[in-house]
């Protein structure tokens, strides 16, 4: 992943809660494997409608050349991590409808983050660091 200050929805950026990054690694032959996750928020657009999303982002790579410094969230995120699955959405708000959790307390937690995100698109909510993208530099 790489961090960018420029928000481009086409690059599928994520804002990540650095204190939620978890994971472990182990040797794999002459390489290292890392598997982890983090809480994240992101925007996606479908049929011209922007949606604010909250959920979990999988962080992994099975062929790292060097072990990661697991005490440094930026070192973990800056590694050559895989992105083929994207975020696992737990809640989504499009300005009219909420999709996600069924527990009222969890819905309110999600909407407390998602409503301001959508109202001031694109903002990085308090407690999150962004924007992080899997897209290479210069991609559109």
């Amino acid at each position: 992943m790489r961090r960018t200050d420029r928000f481009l929805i086409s690059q599928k950026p994520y804002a990540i809660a650095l204190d939620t990054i978890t994971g472990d690694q182990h040797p794999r032959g002459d390489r290292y494997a890392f598997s982890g996750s983090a809480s994240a928020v992101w925007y996606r657009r479908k049929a011209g409608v922007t949606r604010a999303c909250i959920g979990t982002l999988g962080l992994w790579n099975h062929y790292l050349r060097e072990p990661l410094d697991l005490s440094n969230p930026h070192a973990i995120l800056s590694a050559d991590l895989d992105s083929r699955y994207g975020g696992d959405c737990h809640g989504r708000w499009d300005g009219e409808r909420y999709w996600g959790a069924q527990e009222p307390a969890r819905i309110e937690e999600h909407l407390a983050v998602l409503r301001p995100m959508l109202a001031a698109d694109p903002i990085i909510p308090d407690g999150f660091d962004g924007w992080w993208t899997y897209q290479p530099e210069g991609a559109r």
Side-chain angles (χ1 to χ4, degrees), residues 19-71:
D19 61 343
T20 67
I21 295 174
T22 61
D24 55 61
Q25 65 187 339
H26 62 272
R28 186 169 195 226
D30 64 343
R31 303 290 172 117
Y32 295 85
F34 172 80
S35 181
S37 65
S39 295
V41 294
W42 61 93
Y43 295 95
R44 293 297 181 264
R45 196 170 289 135
K46 183 177 180 182
V49 176
T50 301
R51 296 164 167 92
C53 306
I54 190 167
T56 304
L57 184 61
L59 306 170
W60 56 277
N61 186 325
H62 299 296
Y63 302 101
L64 293 166
R65 294 184 186 277
E66 302 283 331
L68 297 176
D69 177 357
L70 299 182
S71 68

Side-chain angles (χ1 to χ4, degrees), residues 37-111:
S37 65
S39 295
V41 294
W42 61 93
Y43 295 95
R44 293 297 181 264
R45 196 170 289 135
K46 183 177 180 182
V49 176
T50 301
R51 296 164 167 92
C53 306
I54 190 167
T56 304
L57 184 61
L59 306 170
W60 56 277
N61 186 325
H62 299 296
Y63 302 101
L64 293 166
R65 294 184 186 277
E66 302 283 331
L68 297 176
D69 177 357
L70 299 182
S71 68
N72 183 341
H74 284 107
I76 294 169
L77 294 175
S78 296
D80 183 23
L81 301 174
D82 198 300
S83 68
R84 74 184 76 176
Y85 304 115
D88 182 14
C89 187
H90 300 166
R92 181 174 58 230
W93 174 247
D94 68 5
E96 291 183 23
R97 292 179 183 83
Y98 170 82
W99 170 92
Q102 298 302 305
E103 303 84 14
R106 181 61 108 186
I107 293 169
E108 288 307 316
E109 283 177 25
H110 287 175
L111 289 175

Side-chain angles (χ1 to χ4, degrees), residues 105-135:
R106 181 61 108 186
I107 293 169
E108 288 307 316
E109 283 177 25
H110 287 175
L111 289 175
V113 174
L114 298 176
R115 281 183 174 136
M117 276 180 65
L118 200 58
D121 173 16
I123 64 160
I124 300 168
D126 290 340
F128 291 85
D129 183 73
W131 296 105
W132 290 89
T133 181
Y134 290 101
Q135 302 294 316

